[in-house]
Amino acid sequence: NGDGAYVAMSNDDQTYYLSIQQGKILKAKLNANHQMTQYARIDPSLIHNRDDYQFINPFVLDPVNDNIMYLPAGRKLFRNDDLSVIPMNNNNDSIPTNWVQFPDTVTGTAKISAIAVSKNHRLYYGTSKRNVYRIDNANTGTPTRVNITGTAFNANGYVSCIAIDPTNDDNVAVVFSNYNVYSIFYSKDAGATWMRTAGNLEKGTAGTGDVPSIRWMSM
């Protein structure tokens, strides 16, 4: 029913989360032929303007409790505390059920463009205007964020991906997809300091020249 965007599966592979443009998300069951048999639209009705979302808008499930979802919506960040209680009644409207909004919002024209969460519920997110933030213990309450934007990040940087070391969430990498900016920065201290780590994907440290536009990475 639209341009495919981000997806996720429950840890037992029984429930699928499928999304299309501007943040519309379905919770779904699929049969053996991968046909959808049940669904419910679950994105928050707290958002009244679809343009608040990125056209292709990210979301992530908590890796420990896959009934928790973290969802950015433009300048705002939301968490659903329990997806399991949402019935799949084939509804097509957004819902308020179990959605919580974090207190911090992104300022200016920036939007949240990338998000990742660790097994320790440490959440990292980045924006379309260079900034990167960290929220510790993001799975409960509404803790405030920490600004971990690196001083060397280019002012025109668009954060397209954040990758967390699955064995140690102090280790995190941020990917900038723009041309003519340095592409990959890495931190070993949860964003307190950053190092350039794109290696031979760049020519020097300026991020310019005949080099690829990096979009994604994983650890």
Side-chain angles (χ1 to χ4, degrees):
N1 294 323
D3 293 320
Y6 283 75
V7 299
M9 293 188 298
S10 62
N11 293 331
D12 62 5
D13 294 343
Q14 297 300 306
T15 306
Y16 295 77
Y17 298 92
L18 317 171
S19 69
I20 61 173
Q21 70 270 16
Q22 293 181 300
K24 297 174 184 175
I25 305 172
L26 295 184
K27 173 186 175 183
K29 295 286 187 183
L30 306 182
N31 64 21
N33 295 318
H34 309 298
Q35 297 166 322
M36 191 160 57
T37 59
Q38 293 176 282
Y39 70 89
R41 183 173 162 189
I42 64 168
D43 49 284
S45 55
L46 303 171
I47 299 297
H48 303 294
N49 185 355
R50 305 311 302 180
D51 289 336
D52 285 348
Y53 291 100
Q54 296 279 74
F55 186 77
I56 299 299
N57 198 80
F59 68 87
V60 290
L61 299 181
D62 189 285
V64 175
N65 181 355
D66 58 14
N67 284 310
I68 296 176
M69 176 182 287
Y70 304 94
L71 172 70
R75 295 181 295 137
K76 303 171 185 176
L77 180 65
F78 292 87
R79 183 188 68 236
N80 193 290
D81 284 335
D82 192 356
L83 298 168
S84 69
V85 303
I86 301 174
M88 284 184 275
N89 54 9
N90 298 349
N91 65 294
N92 290 295
D93 295 319
S94 55
I95 62 172
T97 309
N98 292 331
W99 285 107
V100 176
Q101 182 179 338
F102 284 81
D104 296 315
T105 59
V106 174
T107 59
T109 60
K111 291 184 178 183
I112 300 172
S113 54
I115 186 170
V117 63
S118 77
K119 293 179 180 178
N120 293 320
H121 315 293
R122 173 177 276 172
L123 185 75
Y124 293 94
Y125 66 95
T127 76
S128 58
K129 299 290 185 180
R130 162 182 191 273
N131 289 310
V132 178
Y133 302 95
R134 189 189 77 233
I135 300 176
D136 296 324
N137 302 311
N139 62 315
T140 183
T142 54
T144 56
R145 71 189 181 199
V146 178
N147 189 336
I148 56 170
T149 305
T151 56
F153 294 175
N154 189 285
N156 296 320
Y158 182 104
V159 181
S160 62
C161 178
I162 297 174
I164 303 173
D165 180 347
T167 66
N168 182 351
D169 61 10
D170 283 345
N171 302 330
V172 60
V174 173
V175 178
F176 293 93
S177 62
N178 312 60
Y179 290 108
N180 296 317
V181 302
Y182 195 87
S183 298
I184 305 173
F185 289 83
Y186 181 69
S187 175
K188 297 190 289 185
D189 49 20
T193 59
W194 296 92
M195 64 186 76
R196 296 173 189 261
T197 187
N200 63 1
L201 297 174
E202 298 283 0
K203 290 183 177 179
T205 60
T208 58
D210 184 14
V211 294
S213 168
I214 309 302
R215 315 296 176 84
W216 195 266
M217 70 171 288
S218 60
M219 285 192 243

